[in-house]
Amino acid sequence: SSRVLWTLAVTQFKNLPGVRELFQQQGPAVSKRTRGEMHRMVNADYYGYRDEDDGILLEIERDAERKAIEDTVSEWQAAQDTKQKKKK
């Protein structure tokens, strides 16, 4: 069956020169951070409380707010114009 052939192929592959060593190599030990270590890394920057300190974000928000207001006013004016045309 194909499963037997696959098993034989993998076994033969592992016996090739240099392949066995690849499977036996251990990677570097990775130490996981503890909950306390991760908690110590959380500060005001993590929550974004200092995003406005450099002034760049405030400028971007001001421009976006100005554009949103202009868009809303123009939509309102278009709706008012449509109402006026229907009354005539």
Side-chain angles (χ1 to χ4, degrees), residues 18-70:
V19 175
R20 181 178 306 269
E21 290 78 21
L22 289 175
F23 283 108
Q24 292 175 348
Q25 287 180 352
Q26 296 293 327
V30 178
S31 62
K32 290 191 173 187
R33 291 186 216 148
T34 64
R35 183 180 297 250
E37 289 172 337
M38 289 189 287
H39 186 67
R40 281 190 290 272
M41 294 170 48
V42 175
N43 57 22
D45 291 328
Y46 176 82
Y47 292 107
Y49 292 139
R50 296 183 191 161
D51 288 346
E52 300 166 346
D53 287 352
D54 60 1
I56 295 172
L57 185 60
L58 292 174
E59 187 177 318
I60 293 170
E61 286 178 344
R62 190 178 315 113
D63 294 341
E65 184 177 2
R66 187 176 296 125
K67 183 181 182 323
I69 291 171
E70 290 172 1

Side-chain angles (χ1 to χ4, degrees), residues 5 11 13 16 19 59:
L5 291 174
T11 304
F13 175 72
L16 290 173
V19 175
E59 187 177 318

Side-chain angles (χ1 to χ4, degrees), residues 64-79:
E65 184 177 2
R66 187 176 296 125
K67 183 181 182 323
I69 291 171
E70 290 172 1
D71 291 346
T72 304
V73 168
S74 64
E75 288 175 14
W76 179 81
Q77 286 176 340

